[in-house]
Amino acid sequence: MPNLPTSSLPASSLPVDLCRLPHAADIPLPAYASDGAAGLDLCAANDTAIQLAPGERALVPTGFAIRLPSQYEAQIRPRSGLAAKYGVTVANAPGTIDSDYRGEIKIILINLGADAFIIERGMRIAQMVIAPVIQTVIREVDSLDSTTRNKAGFGSTGT
Ligand SMILES: O=c1ccn([C@H]2C[C@H](O)[C@@H](COP(=O)(O)OP(=O)(O)OP(=O)(O)O)O2)c(=O)[nH]1
Ligand SMILES: [Mg+2]
């Protein structure tokens, strides 16, 4: 496999339908910020600025709804810049957007920083990674096979 520069990578061929909601006429579409970006940046679509005091969280609208193909999910992840500079992150990261969800995508932002943070309309607040999902069939059984690890966990191999 040749070592291709990232700008030569083919565009994703997975189509995702997206509806812009009436209150988001001026909000940029979710977009990859670079050729090789994993996540589409999502912007805040709140009408008025939201002030997040330290420790507070808010459910922030994005102004968009999507239709994912079945067997896919969208993960809502924090932006590292907001986390590193302000301590602002996604409370439920990674948030899960189900393929059968048709409502507005919303982001649960939490301020873990020491200072208040203002969420302005149009600000890029999170990113959305589209990923394949395997749905399983759960089979209830009476016991499980034993392994070398067996029930050891939570640091059992040392630090
Ligand atoms: O960060 C998020 C997480 C979820 N959702 C939407 C899409 C998702 O498909 C739906 C349900 O999410 P989840 O399953 O995480 O929440 P729940 O508490 O289990 O709610 P429900 O009982 O509706 O499944 O809410 C968002 O818009 N943003
Ligand atoms: Mg759920």
Side-chain angles (χ1 to χ4, degrees):
M1 177 85 175
N3 207 359
L4 294 172
T6 51
S7 57
S8 304
L9 289 173
S12 165
S13 58
L14 183 78
V16 172
D17 294 340
L18 176 146
C19 257
R20 184 189 289 275
L21 300 173
H23 63 92
D26 57 323
I27 300 294
L29 284 175
Y32 294 109
S34 68
D35 291 344
L40 297 140
D41 284 334
L42 297 173
C43 297
N46 39 304
D47 291 339
T48 53
I50 299 171
Q51 169 147 338
L52 268 192
E56 268 188 351
R57 61 182 183 274
L59 191 58
V60 185
T62 64
F64 294 105
I66 60 173
R67 177 186 186 277
L68 291 165
S70 62
Q71 313 280 351
Y72 285 86
E73 64 160 336
Q75 299 171 1
I76 305 299
R77 302 193 194 171
R79 294 190 67 215
S80 63
L82 292 183
K85 285 185 210 153
Y86 309 107
V88 170
T89 187
V90 174
N92 59 329
T96 304
I97 309 299
D98 302 292
S99 66
D100 56 355
Y101 180 68
R102 300 289 178 269
E104 180 174 14
I105 295 175
K106 295 185 180 175
I107 309 219
I108 309 168
L109 276 191
I110 186 163
N111 181 2
L112 303 179
D115 303 314
F117 181 80
I118 313 269
I119 307 167
E120 305 278 6
R121 183 178 177 86
M123 176 184 273
R124 289 180 298 151
I125 51 170
Q127 56 186 319
M128 179 170 74
V129 173
I130 311 294
V133 162
I134 296 173
Q135 272 194 330
T136 188
V137 176
I138 294 293
R139 297 180 305 181
E140 187 174 3
V141 294
D142 291 333
S143 61
L144 303 173
D145 65 324
S146 32
T147 68
T148 306
R149 172 182 284 274
N150 232 20
K151 294 180 181 173
F154 313 101
S156 67
T157 61
T159 52

